[in-house]
């Protein structure tokens, strides 16, 4: 007879607690207990103390508190002062100061209880012991009443910390750092060939100087790397680029993030520089921001289309073509296409013919001709 076995899968909700800790004991001494206020609902608070990574305090009401304390009894409560709650077993114990054989006064939780954060509510006993009994025990201890606080909680599960790869942060430490660089650029001067730059002394300019590693440029901005050689003593003059734009370009090469605000304020200038220096990903980021912030109209459609085509901005051009497809009847007769290159004119005619084709339509995976630019780039 073939036996069958059941497959059991365990599913946990929340974080599985660790094993229970040993009991931690804190002794709280209330000196001069006989002189503490006995007015009802008036508490005497202990200083904060630490246990299991939390801050705690004890409050005692020598005259009791309403509405639960019986006349002549004192109330005692334990509070969690920290900003996070904690589950714990607890006991509040009052022992005879000279005779350990006598049974102590004790109140606590048989089960795990929750101590809310920031002392929102405490755990304890409204009728912990008669005040006259407390006075007698304090009298035997030079007037000091001692309460023991016993706490036991779950051990925190061991957690490991694995730091991320630091290469990006380390690369940024070398950004525009002269000591870590072997080439330099002066942004604002005329562009010269490396050979010509070696043959003559360059006149002093007011251009902004940037320092870089040729290796990093070779990997991330190949066209910029082609403009210099490692160890060149003379700075390479770079014209046609504003210093703030060049700084963003160089920062990106070192693994930095150019914010959308920076991209938005200099989108075309960054596109121009990224295209010129061979930084493809930065060009795509700036193009996406340009497409997002540009509202296409009948009046600006052609200028934007010619610009997108001249810079090979396929995503921006696609947005313009979508506008043409949806507004062909408004464009025909109002816009002159005499300056449009023939290959671009063919795309325009196709867009008009397609009419109001949905921009969200997803092309078949194997039909590259019908895919959107974003799908193709992915």
């Amino acid at each position: 007879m073939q036996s069958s076995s059941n497959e059991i899968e365990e599913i946990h909700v929340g974080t599985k607690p660790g094993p229970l800790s040993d009991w931690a004991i804190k002794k709280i001494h209330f000196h001069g207990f006989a002189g503490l206020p006995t007015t009802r609902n008036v508490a005497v608070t202990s200083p904060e103390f630490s246990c299991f990574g939390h801050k705690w305090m004890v409050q005692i009401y020598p005259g009791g508190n309403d509405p639960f304390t019986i006349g002549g009894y004192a109330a005692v409560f334990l509070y969690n002062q920290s900003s996070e709650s904690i589950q714990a077993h607890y006991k509040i114990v009052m022992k005879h100061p000279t005779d350990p054989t006598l049974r102590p006064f004790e109140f606590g939780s048989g089960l795990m209880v929750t101590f809310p954060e920031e002392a929102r509510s405490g755990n304890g006993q409204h009728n912990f012991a008669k005040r006259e009994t407390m006075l007698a025990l304090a009298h035997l201890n030079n007037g000091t009443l001692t309460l023991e606080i016993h706490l036991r909680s779950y051990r925190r599960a061991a957690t490991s910390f694995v730091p991320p790869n630091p290469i990006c942060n380390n690369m940024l430490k070398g950004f525009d750092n002269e000591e870590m660089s072997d080439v330099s650029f002066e942004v604002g001067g005329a562009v010269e060939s490396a050979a010509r730059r070696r043959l003559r002394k360059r006149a002093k300019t007011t251009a902004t100087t940037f320092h870089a590693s040729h290796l990093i440029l070779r990997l991330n901005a190949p066209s910029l790397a082609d403009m210099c050689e490692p160890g060149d003593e003379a700075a390479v003059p770079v014209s046609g680029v504003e210093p703030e734009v060049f700084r963003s370009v160089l920062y990106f090469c070192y693994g930095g993030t150019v914010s959308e605000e920076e991209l938005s304020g200099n989108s075309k200038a960054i596109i121009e520089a990224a295209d010129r220096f061979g930084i493809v990903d930065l060009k795509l980021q700036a193009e996406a921001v340009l497409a997002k912030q540009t509202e296409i109209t009948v009046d600006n459609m052609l200028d934007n289309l010619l610009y997108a085509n001249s810079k090979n901005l396929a995503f921006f051009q696609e947005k313009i073509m979508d506008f043409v497809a949806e507004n062909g009847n408004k464009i025909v007769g109002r816009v002159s296409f005499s300056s449009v290159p023939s290959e671009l004119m063919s795309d325009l005619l196709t867009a008009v013919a397609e009419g109001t084709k949905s921009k969200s339509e997803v092309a078949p995976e194997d039909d590259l001709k019908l895919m959107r630019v974003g799908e193709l780039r992915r």
Side-chain angles (χ1 to χ4, degrees):
M1 183 176 181
Q2 186 176 3
S3 62
S4 62
S5 59
N6 295 325
E7 185 174 324
I8 300 175
E9 180 183 3
E10 296 187 15
I11 299 173
H12 300 276
V13 179
T15 304
K16 184 179 179 181
L20 279 172
S21 69
D22 295 329
W23 284 102
I25 301 176
K26 306 288 182 177
K27 289 188 175 184
I28 313 297
H29 302 287
F30 291 91
H31 300 293
F33 179 75
L36 297 183
T38 58
T39 305
R40 204 164 179 82
N41 300 322
V42 175
V44 177
T45 303
S46 74
E48 283 187 352
F49 58 92
S50 298
C51 192
F52 302 123
H54 284 247
K55 296 292 186 180
W56 304 81
M57 72 169 183
V58 174
Q59 280 190 341
I60 185 170
Y61 293 81
N65 66 336
D66 288 332
F68 304 105
T69 304
I70 300 172
Y73 276 77
V76 181
F77 294 95
L78 175 64
Y79 293 88
N80 165 37
Q81 293 276 72
S82 297
S83 58
E84 294 182 359
S85 62
I86 182 175
Q87 288 189 310
H89 290 288
Y90 80 98
K91 291 188 290 186
I92 302 174
V93 181
M94 182 176 67
K95 296 179 179 179
H96 194 283
T98 59
D99 189 352
T101 63
L102 295 178
R103 184 178 180 181
F105 289 83
E106 180 178 309
F107 180 83
S109 60
L111 301 174
M112 188 73 68
V113 296
T114 298
F115 285 84
E117 67 278 8
E118 297 176 351
R120 292 183 179 178
S121 63
N123 288 290
Q125 174 61 275
H126 291 277
N127 299 288
F128 180 75
K130 288 185 177 181
R131 183 173 178 274
E132 63 183 32
T133 301
M134 292 179 158
L135 284 170
L137 294 178
H139 177 72
L140 295 173
N141 193 29
N142 296 320
T144 296
L145 179 74
T146 299
L147 299 178
E148 290 185 1
I149 305 300
H150 296 226
L151 284 166
R152 190 182 191 191
S153 187
Y154 292 118
R155 296 183 189 274
R156 292 186 177 182
T159 57
S160 61
F161 170 73
V162 180
N165 192 325
I167 186 169
C168 288
N169 287 334
N170 290 341
M171 289 272 285
L172 283 173
K173 291 177 182 177
F175 170 66
D176 202 19
N177 186 312
E178 185 173 1
E179 293 182 357
M180 299 181 184
S181 304
D182 55 6
V183 293
S184 59
F185 301 90
E186 284 192 349
V187 180
V191 178
E192 298 178 314
S193 68
R196 184 180 176 188
R197 194 167 60 255
R198 294 190 189 98
L199 291 174
R200 72 177 185 85
K201 292 183 178 180
R202 193 167 41 84
K204 292 184 179 180
T205 68
T206 57
T208 304
T209 302
F210 294 92
H211 303 279
S213 163
H214 191 268
L215 175 60
I216 291 176
L217 297 182
R218 177 57 63 198
L219 294 172
N220 300 295
S223 297
L224 188 57
D226 288 341
M227 296 170 59
C228 55
E229 294 292 337
D232 276 354
E233 293 184 4
V236 180
V238 179
S239 62
V241 183
E242 292 295 325
E244 64 179 285
V245 172
F246 192 84
R247 176 178 292 276
S248 296
V249 167
L250 199 59
Y251 187 68
F252 186 86
C253 290
Y254 274 77
T257 299
V258 182
S259 69
E260 185 168 337
E261 182 180 357
E262 292 177 270
L263 292 171
S264 179
N266 297 290
S267 55
K268 287 189 176 182
I270 291 176
I271 288 172
E272 177 73 30
D275 189 49
R276 174 178 169 184
F277 300 134
I279 311 171
V280 177
D281 287 355
L282 180 59
K283 179 184 175 183
L284 296 182
Q285 288 184 21
E287 178 195 6
V289 171
L290 176 65
K292 178 182 177 181
Q293 70 180 6
T294 303
E295 181 182 358
I296 306 301
T297 66
V298 173
D299 295 330
N300 69 18
M301 179 273 300
L302 187 58
D303 288 340
N304 281 308
L305 180 62
L306 293 173
Y307 171 75
N309 184 65
S310 68
K311 299 300 177 185
N312 194 25
L313 305 178
F315 182 71
F316 189 34
Q317 183 169 315
E318 182 181 65
K319 176 179 178 176
I320 301 166
M321 289 297 185
D322 287 337
F323 177 84
V324 172
E326 295 172 1
N327 299 275
N329 59 333
K330 300 177 182 178
I331 295 171
V332 175
R334 292 185 57 186
V335 178
S336 173
F337 296 97
S338 59
S339 59
V340 176
S342 58
E343 69 276 6
L344 188 56
M345 193 68 202
S346 174
D347 293 338
L348 277 169
L349 292 173
T350 301
V352 173
E354 288 182 350
T356 57
K357 177 182 177 181
S358 171
K359 287 189 283 186
S360 61
E361 182 178 337
V362 178
E365 291 184 2
D366 58 348
D367 193 342
L368 299 180
K369 291 185 294 183
L370 297 179
M371 280 190 179
R372 307 285 294 179
V373 172
E375 297 167 16
L376 285 170
R377 287 180 176 174
R378 289 191 187 95

